[in-house]
Amino acid sequence: MTKPADPLLLLETAIAADIHNGALPSGSWLKQIVLQKRYGCSRGDVRRALDRLAAQRLVVQLPNCGYRVHGLDTARLDELRQVRRILEGAAAELMLGRADAAALERLRQLAGAFSRAVQHGTLLDQHEANQAFHAALLALCPNAELVRLIRELRLRMPSAVVTQWPEAGWAEESARQHHAMVEALAAENGTAFRAAVCAHIRSAAVPAAAAPPSRRRGGLVAAG
């Protein structure tokens, strides 16, 4: 029998997805009653999901204020990006020679889907297409612990959808880099593949954090 989905895990995943697609921007304050209505769940489940996300450092709990989407200063974000380049560069080395014809065709299709989303889709379309491409790419890495570390690190950082792609030309550049990664994999060119992966992890400005909300009526402001 299929194990029933954990409602709390589904809620936690939904909030995390909205953080990463920019619906709940970095630095925004989270009003629990608003989240309760937004996701159609109990106040207790919202609190437990936020506690879980705080443990993952996606949100931060501030005494006497409540919860806020984790905001990072420029220096810390650059440090995390440096770690990403190290980890994903190491993963890139392990991916070489593991992409068969079917995997390469799948990656080309996903890279094309992202390019079309950049040209004609919404930011949410771009986010989902980008996630699909990187999930398929990371599936080529045989080191499960390395994959886990990369995924956890990405969760601690604001999404490109809010830090990079609104800048002119950067979504298009991301699309070109996707295609470059695929072709380097196909050619089994380790130098080019690693360079494309590391170039894809660029520095970006950090969205400004919101000021602490008013405590009037015990509420905290939620984005969106």
Side-chain angles (χ1 to χ4, degrees):
M1 294 179 62
T2 303
K3 184 178 180 180
D6 177 1
L8 186 57
L9 179 59
L10 292 176
L11 174 60
E12 177 188 351
T13 302
I15 297 174
D18 278 347
I19 290 172
H20 288 301
N21 66 31
L24 299 173
S26 175
S28 62
W29 291 88
L30 302 173
K31 185 176 180 181
Q32 293 179 49
I33 193 169
V34 173
L35 296 181
Q36 179 183 345
K37 293 177 180 178
R38 181 186 184 110
Y39 300 106
C41 57
S42 72
R43 184 75 172 269
D45 279 350
V46 167
R47 178 63 180 266
R48 285 188 286 274
L50 291 175
D51 285 342
R52 286 189 180 187
L53 293 170
Q56 299 174 36
R57 301 188 68 183
L58 262 182
V59 306
V60 59
Q61 184 180 16
L62 301 178
N64 301 317
C65 289
Y67 295 88
R68 188 177 70 181
V69 178
H70 204 317
L72 297 172
D73 61 39
T74 303
R76 181 162 175 76
L77 181 57
D78 282 343
E79 289 178 352
L80 290 173
R81 290 186 185 280
Q82 289 172 12
V83 177
R84 270 195 64 186
R85 290 187 188 100
I86 293 169
L87 295 180
E88 296 190 31
E93 297 290 343
L94 298 177
M95 293 177 193
L96 289 172
R98 297 185 60 85
D100 59 17
L104 289 169
E105 178 58 25
R106 174 66 174 157
L107 286 169
R108 288 190 178 101
Q109 290 176 357
L110 292 170
F114 179 73
S115 295
R116 290 189 294 275
V118 168
Q119 294 299 319
H120 307 293
T122 64
L123 280 177
L124 180 57
D125 294 332
Q126 294 171 27
H127 173 76
E128 291 177 344
N130 184 63
Q131 291 290 96
F133 175 83
H134 284 284
L137 188 66
L138 201 54
L140 297 174
C141 180
N143 188 319
E145 283 300 307
L146 182 54
V147 170
R148 179 183 61 80
L149 289 172
I150 291 170
R151 286 173 175 163
E152 289 179 356
L153 185 59
R154 287 177 178 175
L155 283 177
R156 294 169 58 187
M157 301 173 67
S159 171
V161 74
V162 292
T163 59
Q164 298 177 15
W165 298 340
E167 299 177 28
W170 274 111
E172 290 81 0
E173 178 63 18
S174 289
R176 286 191 290 270
Q177 289 168 347
H178 286 180
H179 289 286
M181 289 179 209
V182 178
E183 296 315 311
L185 265 181
E188 296 190 14
N189 186 332
T191 300
F193 181 54
R194 184 186 174 98
V197 168
C198 290
H200 200 58
I201 309 168
R202 64 174 287 261
S203 297
V206 181
S214 168
R215 292 291 295 173
R216 184 180 58 183
R217 295 165 59 183
L220 297 176
V221 177

